[in-house]
Amino acid sequence: MITIEYMKRKQKQLERKRKRAAELEAKKEAARVAKMEAEAREQEEIAAREKLLLEQQEDERLRQKHIQRKEKLAEQKWDKQFDTLLAQIKDRSQKYDKLEEIRVIIQNREPSLQELDWDSWLSDPLNQKLAALDFDYAMEMFKRDNLMAKRRKPGRSKKKYILDPYALAFTGNGASGAEEYVKTDFNPDDYDLHLGFTVSYWVRPDEAGNTMFAFGRKFNNDQRFTFGISTVAKIYIGTGGNKLEGRWDSGLTDNPSGKTAAELFPSLFDDGDLIPGTWMHFAVTYADRESTSEGKTDRKVYLNGELIRTQNVNWNDTGGSFTDDGMYFGGRNLKHAGNLPGYDNGWACAVDQVAIFNTAKDASWVTTVYNTDRDKLNLSGQSGLVGYWKFNEGRGIIVKDYSGNGNHGTFAAISGDTTAYPTWEKS
């Protein structure tokens, strides 16, 4: 039987149970809240660390950018200083080279023996070069020359100055050669030589071997202007795309007499081979025409006044140019890689009286030139003359062009050693 006491006791038990359950739930809720708060604090700490990291990264980026900018400014400043230094070195080097050129000119030039006007004074190639290097200094030298000429005694001022006969000798590029040459600004294309020309020259071979040139220029295989020998037994004449390499004793047979070059001049050859040491006169003519469309025309080669070869050729390719592409004496100026000039196939020989005309001269003209004493030969003023080097200076490093076109020659040496220059020889 359920009594009131029993019911009260049960009621108290239920209340204690509910109280413990409520307390347990309150503890769980407190733990859950604490966990959530801990997680929130952890997220806040993570966010704070990420923010700090980002700020540190941005600070580092800005610091690196600042360092790079300072380095770039320093580099630019150094580059500018370095460029300035290089420019100063180059300027000093150029000034030194210029002073050295002036010194060489002063050492080699001959003062005028009479009063001259400025244009006449500049007709001397050395004076012309001096004016190009330093106009003010040249003007002072001009005034000094005239002052000295005015002070000379009348008797001495009337003395006639006569040039001794000279020629210019080269050693070639063989085993004992110094590879010296004379460079000019003469370019056959400037005077339309592909439409007709005459080349007259004296040469003394001091050696005879393979591919040796007295003078010439070559842009490519279709643009030759070269004169020399192919071998000891063959001539070499290159014009345009054609090169004549006929044998002295069999390939040069167009003389009216029917004789070969070797038969015409037996003292110059030994069993068909060229004998070094004797002066020889060559003339090459290329018949005049109005344009290349006319096709082939006669090219004639003369030795010592005698016709030795006639060929029908067409020089139809011109216009090729490269740096400093003028004709050389003592060898050939050949276009090299990079469009640069280069000394090529030098010849140990002496050269004298080289004349170039932009018209073809006839056989009688060739004979007259050959029969004139080369030391007295003077072709100045003849019609069609476009280049004329007498080689009669006898001193200095300039070879004057007497055609009036100003293509004066200047000594040069592959090694840069001025002791390797060509040699003046009395004829």
Side-chain angles (χ1 to χ4, degrees):
M1 178 177 171
I2 300 172
T3 64
I4 295 174
E5 289 295 328
Y6 174 79
M7 290 181 64
K8 288 181 178 179
R9 194 169 49 251
K10 282 289 185 184
Q11 182 69 31
K12 288 181 180 179
Q13 289 177 347
L14 287 173
E15 288 176 359
R16 286 197 298 269
K17 188 176 181 180
R18 282 196 296 271
K19 185 178 179 181
R20 286 197 297 270
E23 289 175 351
L24 182 60
E25 184 64 29
K27 287 181 179 179
K28 288 183 178 178
E29 179 64 19
R32 188 178 66 81
V33 171
K35 183 179 179 182
M36 289 177 61
E37 289 176 348
E39 289 176 350
R41 285 195 299 273
E42 184 178 0
Q43 291 296 324
E44 288 176 357
E45 289 175 356
I46 291 173
R49 285 197 299 269
E50 288 179 349
K51 182 179 179 182
L52 178 62
L53 180 62
L54 288 173
E55 290 175 350
Q56 290 174 341
Q57 289 175 342
E58 179 65 13
D59 289 343
E60 179 63 18
R61 186 186 70 80
L62 293 174
R63 190 179 72 84
Q64 290 296 330
K65 185 176 181 181
H66 180 67
I67 291 173
Q68 290 174 357
R69 185 168 179 274
K70 285 181 66 176
E71 289 176 346
K72 186 175 181 180
L73 289 173
E75 184 178 352
Q76 289 175 343
K77 183 178 180 181
W78 165 246
D79 287 344
K80 185 176 180 181
Q81 291 175 341
F82 186 68
D83 290 342
T84 302
L85 181 61
L86 285 180
Q88 290 173 347
I89 293 172
K90 184 178 179 181
D91 184 59
R92 289 177 184 176
S93 177
Q94 289 175 340
K95 286 181 179 178
Y96 176 80
D97 292 342
K98 180 178 175 181
L99 289 173
E100 180 61 18
E101 282 192 79
I102 292 174
R103 186 192 67 78
V104 172
I105 291 172
I106 298 303
Q107 181 180 349
N108 288 284
R109 67 183 290 276
E110 287 286 343
S112 172
L113 299 176
Q114 56 184 348
E115 289 188 73
L116 299 172
D117 60 27
W118 176 245
D119 289 338
S120 299
W121 189 80
L122 283 180
S123 65
D124 185 323
L126 285 176
N127 292 340
Q128 190 176 83
K129 189 170 184 179
L130 180 61
L133 288 168
D134 192 321
F135 181 83
D136 292 336
Y137 194 82
M139 182 60 70
E140 289 300 318
M141 293 301 296
F142 165 68
K143 293 176 181 178
R144 180 180 177 276
D145 282 359
N146 277 345
L147 180 62
M148 295 300 293
K150 188 183 295 185
R151 288 178 178 176
R152 289 189 183 97
K153 295 179 181 180
R156 290 183 64 190
S157 64
K158 293 179 181 179
K159 180 180 178 180
K160 189 175 181 181
Y161 180 64
I162 301 174
L163 289 173
D164 290 327
Y166 281 91
L168 194 59
F170 304 86
T171 60
N173 61 343
S176 60
E179 299 187 342
E180 76 278 56
Y181 61 99
V182 170
K183 62 180 180 179
T184 76
D185 291 329
F186 184 87
N187 184 334
D189 294 346
D190 293 340
Y191 306 100
D192 293 330
L193 298 193
H194 66 293
L195 301 180
F197 71 78
T198 296
V199 176
S200 170
Y201 62 98
W202 285 88
V203 61
R204 185 195 69 210
D206 294 329
E207 67 173 344
N210 295 329
T211 318
M212 298 175 173
F213 301 130
F215 57 95
R217 170 192 184 272
K218 177 184 174 182
F219 175 75
N220 59 27
N221 287 339
D222 293 320
Q223 297 186 41
R224 297 183 178 92
F225 190 70
T226 308
F227 305 86
I229 59 174
S230 175
T231 69
V232 66
K234 296 180 181 180
I235 194 174
Y236 186 109
I237 303 294
T239 50
N242 179 273
K243 56 180 180 180
L244 167 62
E245 296 181 283
R247 292 184 60 89
W248 304 109
D249 61 357
S250 60
L252 304 173
T253 58
D254 291 331
N255 189 266
S257 68
K259 294 182 178 181
T260 66
E263 290 170 336
L264 286 167
F265 305 102
S267 64
L268 299 178
F269 305 94
D270 179 16
D271 195 25
D273 290 346
L274 180 62
I275 301 173
T278 303
W279 281 99
M280 309 164 71
H281 177 257
F282 287 92
V284 182
T285 66
Y286 186 54
D288 297 342
R289 55 183 179 167
E290 291 297 321
S291 71
T292 57
S293 62
E294 295 181 24
K296 295 181 178 181
T297 188
D298 283 346
R299 183 190 62 195
K300 298 181 178 182
V301 182
Y302 299 82
L303 170 60
N304 289 352
E306 294 286 348
L307 178 67
I308 58 173
R309 189 73 171 111
T310 300
Q311 285 180 292
N312 211 232
V313 300
N314 185 12
W315 180 3
N316 61 357
D317 192 2
T318 62
S321 62
F322 52 101
T323 304
D324 293 333
D325 63 355
M327 183 178 73
Y328 284 179
F329 291 109
R332 176 178 66 179
N333 187 7
L334 175 66
K335 174 184 173 290
H336 282 59
N339 219 37
L340 298 175
Y343 169 85
D344 176 61
N345 293 113
W347 190 6
C349 66
V351 178
D352 199 13
Q353 288 284 352
V354 178
I356 302 175
F357 299 81
N358 64 358
T359 185
K361 302 293 186 179
D362 58 23
S364 63
W365 181 92
V366 175
T367 301
T368 299
V369 171
Y370 168 66
N371 288 326
T372 302
D373 185 342
R374 65 184 174 85
D375 293 334
K376 299 178 181 178
L377 183 65
N378 185 10
L379 301 176
S380 300
Q382 290 199 7
S383 62
L385 187 66
V386 294
Y388 186 24
W389 301 267
K390 296 182 181 181
F391 295 94
N392 61 358
E393 285 78 8
R395 65 178 67 188
I397 60 172
I398 303 296
V399 181
K400 183 176 180 179
D401 173 14
Y402 285 86
S403 72
N405 287 323
N407 292 308
H408 309 301
T410 305
F411 284 15
I414 297 296
S415 64
D417 180 1
T418 57
T419 61
Y421 280 165
T423 305
W424 291 109
E425 292 184 359
K426 282 194 175 184
S427 300

